[in-house]
Amino acid sequence: MVIILTIIGLLLLTGFHSLIISGQKTIISQTQYYQRFNQSSSALQWAITQNWPTPTDQWQCLIEARFQLKACIKKSLLKIDDYILVRGEAEHFYLYQLTHYDNHKLISQSGHWLDYCPEKRSIDCE
């Protein structure tokens, strides 16, 4: 009887340990996601405040070393409104925003923030 209770207790402890490890992995994964999301979002906001050269069909990037922000711009291939595509980056996590370009500044409009690239071909987002 003691051996059976010991085996049941061991199985319960092993299952509980596996459950805790799984929960820890989930928490770590979600924490990393939100860190990257916030870093990318900050990069987008920072990009709006910078002076940019005239956008081209190729990505042009600026890096802010102190806060590790990286933002890039290029002309969007969308057929409407002559948009400039802005990309905020954080460890291979990207957020996008559609803006307009005027006198070395990006002009942002509400509602043009995206968590996906709006270009039709994925190669145009890389």
Side-chain angles (χ1 to χ4, degrees):
M1 186 68 150
V2 172
I3 293 174
I4 292 174
L5 287 175
T6 304
I7 291 172
I8 291 173
L10 183 61
L11 289 173
L12 286 173
L13 286 174
T14 303
F16 185 65
H17 177 72
S18 297
L19 184 64
I20 288 174
I21 296 299
S22 173
Q24 286 176 336
K25 287 180 182 178
T26 301
I27 288 170
I28 289 170
S29 173
Q30 288 180 352
T31 301
Q32 289 174 344
Y33 169 81
Y34 285 115
Q35 286 173 342
R36 290 178 181 144
F37 178 89
N38 289 334
Q39 189 79 10
S40 296
S41 180
S42 294
L44 280 179
Q45 293 305 311
W46 172 74
I48 299 299
T49 65
Q50 302 305 303
N51 287 324
W52 289 91
T54 303
T56 65
D57 292 335
Q58 301 297 318
W59 287 108
Q60 302 172 41
C61 299
L62 291 177
I63 297 174
E64 198 286 325
R66 181 174 171 206
F67 296 109
Q68 299 175 352
L69 301 176
K70 182 177 181 183
C72 303
I73 66 168
K74 76 175 229 172
K75 286 184 180 179
S76 176
L77 297 176
L78 297 174
K79 299 290 184 203
I80 57 170
D81 280 347
D82 216 13
Y83 282 122
I84 303 303
L85 185 60
V86 183
R87 179 176 72 190
E89 300 182 22
E91 297 179 33
H92 305 293
F93 186 92
Y94 306 108
L95 293 177
Y96 299 89
Q97 187 168 8
L98 293 172
T99 62
H100 292 284
Y101 181 79
D102 184 33
N103 198 24
H104 301 286
K105 290 286 189 184
L106 297 175
I107 301 168
S108 174
Q109 297 174 340
S110 62
H112 287 104
W113 173 89
L114 304 165
D115 59 353
Y116 62 92
C117 182
E119 303 294 350
K120 290 182 180 179
R121 299 180 317 164
S122 62
I123 193 80
D124 294 328
C125 298
E126 298 172 3

